[in-house]
């Protein structure tokens, strides 16, 4: 595949690579595009059309965020290969997860690789190049059938191993509390491609009552603390990494620091009128808190620091992505992998804002009750995160965030591939709407994969939601 160096250099410059850093990174990026199969046409489309049309690239902080994702891709397909050859550990994860576990490994052994290959590939390739479909199609062609509505992340993992995009890790550490298909997908891949690795599966049983607060249940904290401890023990035995309490505390401190900055960003955007930046950008900035980056917060934190300054200046200038007084729309997840959804709402005068799942709650930012026991502290932190909670506890968290951020409506859906979260969101939407009075809208579609629906297919639905939001504002 012939590659245009200048074209790829232009992409990296857009993503805020310059000078010696650009010169050093460009050859590694070129190697990564060869491995992944990104063509010059894909890169040109991203630079000239998809990124500027769907992302607020006037903000340097956002461009730096794109650069952070490109670094993660290079680390995944180039760096992990180098690690494998040099005998350094390679550990993959499957979302949803407890990212602190992976950051702890990196803190203990900085030269190892940790990452979430399916998430990074789908997110980066679709969010910025709109080109995940060929990989998902390939997984279906080789046996991961379309009709069963398998998660596109699992399909991407199948395809990436089959196409030799990924090297086999030492370990895949799976937090299988949500994705019941993840570990079985790995078994399928091993049979398909003849690769072998060890699986460590940690689970949180979804067995608390709807009126219980998970993170206040001492028995649950104790159980999950043991799950953490056992998982880390297995990782140490399988990789030779020595993980001590210092590494655990370092990972937790960095996570809390970034979470605080992210909470500031969300609050600024949601309180601003007009809204200065779209919700798809906000959600992308949350990614290091919910899935481990190999570089940790090294590049995302400077990006969010710059964006915070830019957003404050934008608010002061009275500038925004929609007119002043326009309706604001929160969501369960802003579908950032399908960024044109955000754009279609803007074209109809509505600004997407916060994500109920990604936005830190008051409990998440509160001091830990188990500060002297790092494993219990990890457990408490995960149980404060919405995806670690029972539905009743999560609904209360949603209500808190809706009341704090004052959207005119909430967008749910984009999980028709998920046997659990699809139904879960529909029930949550009804409960939160009754408690807050904020109208909730549900859209049947796929969060990761837009092969089966186009802009035109969703445009009418988005126009209808937008009109209802404007009518509600006028009535109020």
């Amino acid at each position: 595949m012939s590659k245009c160096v200048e074209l790829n250099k232009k992409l990296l410059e857009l993503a805020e690579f310059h000078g010696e850093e650009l010169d050093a990174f460009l050859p590694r990026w070129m190697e990564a595009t060869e491995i992944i199969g990104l063509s010059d046409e894909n890169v040109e489309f991203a630079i000239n059309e998809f990124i500027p049309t769907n992302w607020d690239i006037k903000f340097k902080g956002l461009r730096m965020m794109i650069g952070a994702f490109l670094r993660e891709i290079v680390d995944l397909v180039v760096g992990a290969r180098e690690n494998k050859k040099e005998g350094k550990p390679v550990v993959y994860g499957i979302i949803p997860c407890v990212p602190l576990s992976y950051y702890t490994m990196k803190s203990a052994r900085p030269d190892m690789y940790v990452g979430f290959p399916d998430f990074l590939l789908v997110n980066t390739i679709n969010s910025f190049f709109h080109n995940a479909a060929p990989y998902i199609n390939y997984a279906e062609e080789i046996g991961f059938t379309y009709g069963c509505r398998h998660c596109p992340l699992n399909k991407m993992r199948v395809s990436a191993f089959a196409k030799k995009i990924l090297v086999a890790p030492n370990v895949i550490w799976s937090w299988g509390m949500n994705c019941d298909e993840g570990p079985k997908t790995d078994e399928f891949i091993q049979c398909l491609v003849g690769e072998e690795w060890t699986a460590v599966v940690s689970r949180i049983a979804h067995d608390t009552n709807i009126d219980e607060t998970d993170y206040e249940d001492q028995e649950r904290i104790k159980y999950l603390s043991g799950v953490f401890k056992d998982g880390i023990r297995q990782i140490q035995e399988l990789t030779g990494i020595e993980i001590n309490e210092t590494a655990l505390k370092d990972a937790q401190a960095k996570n809390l620091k970034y979470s605080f900055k992210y909470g500031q960003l969300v609050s600024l955007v949601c309180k601003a009128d007009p809204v200065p930046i779209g919700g798809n950008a906000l959600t992308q900035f949350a990614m290091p808190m919910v899935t481990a980056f190999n570089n940790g917060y090294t590049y995302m934190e400077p990006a969010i620091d710059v964006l915070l300054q830019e957003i404050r200046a934008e608010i002061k200038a009275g500038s925004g992505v929609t007119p002043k007084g326009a309706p604001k729309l929160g969501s369960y997840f802003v579908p950032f992998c399908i960024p044109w959804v955000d754009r279609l709402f803007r074209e109809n005068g509505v600004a997407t804002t916060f994500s109920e799942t990604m936005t830190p709650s008051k409990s998440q930012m509160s001091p830990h009750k188990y500060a002297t026991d790092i494993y219990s502290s990890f457990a408490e932190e995960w149980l404060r995160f919405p995806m670690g909670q029972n539905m009743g506890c999560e609904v209360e968290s949603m209500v808190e965030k809706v009341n704090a951020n004052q959207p005119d409506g909430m967008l749910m859906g984009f999980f028709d591939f998920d046997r659990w979260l699809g139904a879960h969101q529909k029930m949550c939407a009804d409960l939160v709407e009754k408690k807050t009075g904020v109208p909730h809208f549900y859209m049947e579609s796929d969060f990761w994969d837009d092969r089966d629906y186009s802009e035109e297919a969703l445009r009418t639905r988005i126009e209808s939601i937008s009109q209802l939001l404007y009518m509600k504002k006028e009535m109020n």
Side-chain angles (χ1 to χ4, degrees):
M1 185 185 297
S2 110
K3 292 284 182 181
C4 176
V5 173
E6 287 304 313
L7 187 65
N8 283 275
K9 186 176 179 180
K10 186 178 177 182
L11 171 68
L12 297 183
E13 288 172 341
L14 183 153
E16 290 298 316
F17 288 86
H18 303 290
E20 292 181 0
E21 183 182 45
L22 172 60
D23 293 338
F25 189 76
L26 179 60
R28 294 176 68 78
W29 170 251
M30 297 295 291
E31 183 180 354
T33 61
E34 287 284 355
I35 294 169
I36 296 168
L38 276 179
S39 67
D40 288 344
E41 289 75 16
N42 298 145
V43 174
E44 186 174 21
F45 173 69
I47 296 168
N48 296 330
E49 186 172 340
F50 200 70
I51 292 176
T53 301
N54 294 291
W55 296 95
D56 300 312
I57 57 172
K58 73 173 185 176
F59 295 112
K60 180 180 178 180
L62 185 137
R63 300 194 303 273
M64 291 170 68
M65 177 269 288
I66 295 174
F69 273 93
L70 299 185
R71 293 176 197 274
E72 291 301 313
I73 286 291
V74 168
D75 282 359
L76 172 64
V77 302
V78 178
R81 266 180 173 72
E82 295 169 345
N83 271 32
K84 196 77 187 266
K85 290 177 182 177
E86 295 168 10
K88 298 174 183 175
V90 175
V91 178
Y92 295 157
I94 300 172
I95 64 170
C97 74
V98 184
L100 285 173
S101 310
Y102 305 88
Y103 288 142
T104 293
M105 288 186 273
K106 281 293 287 188
S107 182
R109 179 77 187 267
D111 65 347
M112 73 176 295
Y113 175 82
V114 299
F116 289 66
D118 48 11
F119 165 79
L120 282 171
L121 289 167
V122 171
N123 189 4
T124 307
I125 293 172
N126 230 35
S127 295
F128 307 121
F129 301 90
H130 200 215
N131 196 49
Y135 305 88
I136 298 170
N137 288 338
Y138 184 70
E140 293 171 356
E141 290 170 11
I142 60 176
F144 220 58
T145 57
Y146 172 85
C148 292
R149 295 297 291 130
H150 297 291
C151 172
L153 292 185
N154 287 326
K155 290 180 183 178
M156 176 60 85
R157 201 158 68 257
V158 169
S159 184
F161 274 109
K163 286 176 172 285
K164 306 298 182 184
I165 294 171
L166 300 176
V167 295
N170 299 88
V171 184
I172 289 186
W173 192 357
S174 170
W175 286 84
M177 78 293 284
N178 296 50
C179 184
D180 58 345
E181 195 177 64
K184 299 303 292 183
T185 299
D186 287 338
E187 290 180 24
F188 174 78
I189 293 168
Q190 289 178 323
C191 294
L192 181 71
V193 302
E195 297 278 10
E196 292 187 2
W197 57 79
T198 303
V200 174
V201 180
S202 301
R203 293 194 182 276
I204 302 177
H206 284 283
D207 59 356
T208 52
N209 295 321
I210 197 168
D211 60 348
E212 293 179 308
T213 303
D214 295 89
Y215 57 85
E216 292 180 353
D217 185 333
Q218 293 185 10
E219 286 300 312
R220 198 162 183 76
I221 295 284
K222 183 180 178 181
Y223 163 76
L224 189 53
S225 171
V227 170
F228 270 118
K229 193 173 294 186
D230 184 62
I232 287 176
R233 175 191 59 77
Q234 292 183 69
I235 293 294
Q236 290 183 119
E237 291 174 356
L238 292 164
T239 64
I241 302 168
E242 293 184 13
I243 300 173
N244 56 30
E245 192 166 305
T246 301
L248 293 160
K249 289 182 176 179
D250 177 66
Q252 188 176 57
K254 289 176 179 176
N255 182 66
L256 286 171
K257 181 183 177 187
Y258 187 87
S259 297
F260 178 76
K261 291 181 178 182
Y262 180 73
Q264 282 185 309
L265 178 62
V266 171
S267 181
L268 281 171
V269 171
C270 289
K271 291 177 181 177
D273 187 15
V275 172
I277 194 170
N280 56 359
L282 288 186
T283 309
Q284 286 285 33
F285 271 95
M287 289 303 106
M289 301 185 300
V290 295
T291 177
F293 279 29
N294 188 53
N295 291 294
Y297 299 106
T298 302
Y299 299 104
M300 289 294 283
E301 188 166 357
I304 203 171
D305 286 341
V306 170
L307 188 63
L308 278 166
Q309 293 178 358
E310 292 177 311
I311 292 302
R312 289 188 178 102
E314 199 80 351
I315 292 170
K316 187 175 181 179
S319 302
V321 298
T322 49
K324 187 177 177 63
K328 301 175 184 179
L329 185 69
S331 68
Y332 189 78
F333 287 121
V334 176
F336 53 89
C337 278
I338 317 293
W340 52 261
V341 172
D342 180 289
R343 173 171 53 80
L344 287 184
F345 273 107
R346 287 192 206 183
E347 290 174 1
N348 283 277
V350 173
T352 64
T353 56
F354 73 103
S355 160
E356 285 177 321
T357 303
M358 305 300 183
T359 304
S361 64
K362 291 178 183 177
S363 69
Q364 285 174 269
M365 301 310 299
S366 300
H368 295 101
K369 294 180 180 178
Y370 300 89
T372 58
D373 179 349
I374 190 65
Y375 288 102
S376 294
S377 182
F378 268 36
E380 182 183 17
E381 191 160 327
W382 177 242
L383 292 175
R384 290 176 173 184
F385 184 65
M387 296 192 101
Q389 300 172 342
N390 69 63
M391 189 174 68
C393 192
E394 183 178 359
V395 163
E396 292 306 314
S397 172
M398 290 177 173
V399 169
E400 173 198 309
K401 295 169 190 177
V402 169
N403 288 336
N405 293 305
Q406 295 293 299
D408 297 289
M410 293 297 300
L411 178 65
M412 311 292 272
F414 293 91
F415 271 86
D416 65 1
F417 62 88
D418 194 298
R419 290 179 293 278
W420 179 50
L421 279 176
H424 172 83
Q425 279 196 48
K426 291 175 182 176
M427 291 186 284
C428 286
D430 181 60
L431 292 167
V432 177
E433 181 171 318
K434 287 176 179 175
K435 286 175 176 282
T436 63
V438 174
H440 283 56
F441 305 95
Y442 193 91
M443 296 181 70
E444 290 284 2
S445 38
D446 192 320
F447 183 81
W448 308 104
D449 173 15
D450 59 349
R451 292 175 302 161
D452 290 342
Y453 59 98
S454 63
E455 291 189 23
E456 293 309 313
L458 290 191
R459 187 180 297 276
T460 302
R461 176 70 171 143
I462 289 172
E463 287 174 350
S464 298
I465 292 172
S466 301
Q467 290 168 5
L468 288 169
L469 291 174
Y470 267 97
M471 288 172 59
K472 180 176 180 291
K473 281 190 78 74
E474 290 173 3
M475 290 172 64
N476 291 340

